[in-house]
Amino acid sequence: MTGLRIWKVGPGEILCLLWGMKNLLTFFSSRSDISKFFIFFILSLGAGSFWGYMIAPNELRISDLITWLYLGVITILVYEGLKKNNLPYNEKILFLFAQAAVIWYLFLYVYSKLISRIFFGAPLWYGGIRFSGGGTNPHQIAVLLCSLCAIFLRELFRTRNKITCILGIAISLFLLIQTQSSTGLLAVVVSYVFFAFYSIGHFAPGRQKNIYSILICFMLLILIIGYGTFSSLLINWIADDSNGIGRIEIFKTFSIAFGKSPLFGLGPGIHGRNGTIEFHNTYLEVLAATGIIGGFIFFKYSILLFKKVFKADWMLLPILVSIYAYGLAGFAMRRLVYWGIVAFISVISEQMILSLSEDESQSINIVGE
């Protein structure tokens, strides 16, 4: 609930820090991919800050560098804490987290409708029309709800709690619609389409080539026939979003910011339109803040993460796809919930890979005997 923050610290940040403090000893000895990423990425932010101070000091926000330090520390502490649990327990915690989050935000929504739009001083609506769940804007909850839709979809095919999962998806989508986040809805659609296509190969392995060929041809035929209609719908959809057209115009100014310091970037801050607004795009923000060096660090880590998840369990991929897709029109990467989800996925993936390798070793030993 960012609406209750004092400066950059709120209840969520404090609770995560307190929970993670018990893993402080392992924090300094961590050699995980996620800890290496934060070390090198924050160093690149520092280099960018130096150049930003020299080139465009009006665009630099040193306080954002503190935010990244905090995000790095908390994420590594949470990651190390989850590693101490076994795989079934972490799977259970992830599902319970999703259920608790849905119940909490549904309560806040009902509370805002029946009692008050302020909850202990935190605004529950942004601008009076967009549900923010106690945040200063709807972005934090929108990122969370995107991932919840994907988590419940995965559990729908894994557990017997079908009704719980269906309700979880329905409530998450309903609340996401109340945030009026077109970026969030797009992220859910992308993750669900990804799930649908990949599930064909999983559940119908013998016929997947034929099914894929038919689907692709059918979709291409629809796009060709209805190109004019779909392009009009897309333009109208963007135009209906209060920030839609404006963000496209902001994206166009990226080359100006990137051209000032392409190698090291300008450090964390506001770089759109010559330092007057954020880009509202994770990937443009990363490149503007850290340049080619930081961009390489981020994209390399992302590739490693996707490969790890792909190897472990393809049903985890839609969760990751949802938050990465949100980054196309939002700075999801700067949200604490983003890194909480990434830490969960990283640990579960690594534990699943380890479990699979142990099973293979046991099978080899049995055959050898």
Side-chain angles (χ1 to χ4, degrees):
M1 296 181 71
T2 56
L4 294 178
R5 279 180 177 173
I6 299 174
W7 191 50
K8 291 181 176 292
V9 180
E13 286 82 2
I14 293 172
L15 288 172
C16 286
L17 182 60
L18 291 175
W19 184 85
M21 286 300 289
K22 62 182 180 180
N23 308 305
L24 197 59
L25 292 176
T26 55
F27 170 82
F28 295 103
S29 59
S30 178
R31 295 294 182 271
S32 62
D33 289 341
I34 204 165
S35 61
K36 291 175 183 176
F37 161 74
F38 270 109
I39 290 170
F40 289 111
F41 188 74
I42 290 172
L43 285 174
S44 70
L45 280 170
S49 298
F50 173 79
W51 285 103
Y53 181 77
M54 301 293 290
I55 299 168
N58 62 304
E59 299 181 21
L60 181 65
R61 288 198 310 202
I62 296 298
S63 61
D64 283 3
L65 190 58
I66 298 172
T67 298
W68 279 106
L69 285 168
Y70 172 82
L71 284 173
V73 170
I74 291 298
T75 304
I76 296 169
L77 287 174
V78 169
Y79 170 87
E80 292 296 330
L82 291 172
K83 270 181 62 178
K84 295 178 180 178
N85 305 327
N86 57 42
L87 177 59
Y89 185 77
N90 280 331
E91 292 274 20
K92 182 180 178 181
I93 290 296
L94 180 62
F95 190 36
L96 287 174
F97 158 75
Q99 294 174 71
V102 162
I103 292 169
W104 172 246
Y105 283 106
L106 180 61
F107 161 74
L108 289 179
Y109 177 81
V110 174
Y111 178 90
S112 72
K113 287 292 186 180
L114 300 179
I115 301 173
S116 172
R117 292 199 163 200
I118 305 293
F119 187 77
F120 288 101
L124 299 178
W125 290 77
Y126 177 74
I129 57 172
R130 301 179 67 183
F131 181 63
S132 62
T136 52
N137 58 57
H139 303 310
Q140 187 99 352
I141 185 176
V143 175
L144 172 63
L145 292 169
C146 290
S147 62
L148 293 184
C149 287
I151 291 170
F152 282 118
L153 180 65
R154 176 177 182 254
E155 292 298 325
L156 183 64
F157 287 85
R158 290 185 66 256
T159 68
R160 295 180 179 179
N161 300 320
K162 307 296 184 186
I163 295 175
T164 301
C165 294
I166 292 170
L167 284 173
I169 292 171
I171 295 170
S172 298
L173 279 173
F174 171 76
L175 293 174
L176 185 58
I177 291 169
Q178 300 308 306
T179 67
Q180 297 186 20
S181 172
S182 55
T183 306
L185 291 172
L186 176 64
V188 172
V189 170
V190 170
S191 64
Y192 273 45
V193 168
F194 178 89
F195 184 92
F197 266 83
Y198 206 90
S199 63
I200 294 170
H202 180 76
F203 295 112
R207 296 173 293 169
Q208 68 183 71
K209 288 185 179 179
N210 293 333
I211 296 172
Y212 280 141
S213 299
I214 292 169
L215 279 175
I216 291 170
C217 290
F218 182 68
M219 290 176 68
L220 286 173
L221 183 64
I222 291 175
L223 286 173
I224 292 169
I225 294 172
Y227 174 78
T229 303
F230 286 121
S231 61
S232 297
L233 287 172
L234 178 62
I235 292 169
N236 291 333
W237 179 61
I238 294 172
D240 286 339
D241 188 334
S242 58
N243 298 312
I245 300 295
R247 286 189 181 176
I248 293 174
E249 294 300 318
I250 297 168
F251 296 165
K252 291 179 180 178
T253 66
F254 168 73
S255 59
I256 299 172
F258 187 69
K260 294 176 182 177
S261 179
L263 190 60
F264 296 103
L266 299 169
I270 300 174
H271 305 300
R273 290 179 180 168
N274 281 317
T276 59
I277 194 169
E278 293 181 344
F279 283 115
H280 291 89
N281 180 296
T282 295
Y283 313 105
L284 298 186
E285 294 282 0
V286 167
L287 289 170
T290 61
I292 295 171
I293 293 176
F296 173 77
I297 293 168
F298 171 65
F299 288 115
K300 181 181 179 182
Y301 170 72
S302 297
I303 291 169
L304 291 174
L305 180 60
F306 270 93
K307 285 176 66 176
K308 185 190 304 178
V309 173
F310 186 83
K311 184 178 180 180
D313 179 14
W314 69 270
M315 287 191 182
L316 283 169
L317 281 169
I319 306 173
L320 203 55
V321 167
S322 69
I323 57 177
Y324 269 78
Y326 189 93
L328 293 171
F331 201 178
M333 189 181 167
R334 199 178 55 192
R335 312 288 172 183
L336 181 60
V337 65
Y338 175 99
W339 289 108
I341 296 296
V342 169
F344 256 115
I345 292 175
S346 296
V347 172
I348 290 174
S349 298
E350 289 169 7
Q351 290 178 331
M352 292 186 81
I353 291 170
L354 182 62
S355 177
L356 288 170
S357 63
E358 288 176 350
D359 290 342
E360 288 177 2
S361 298
Q362 289 177 0
S363 298
I364 293 170
N365 291 335
I366 292 171
V367 172
E369 292 173 359

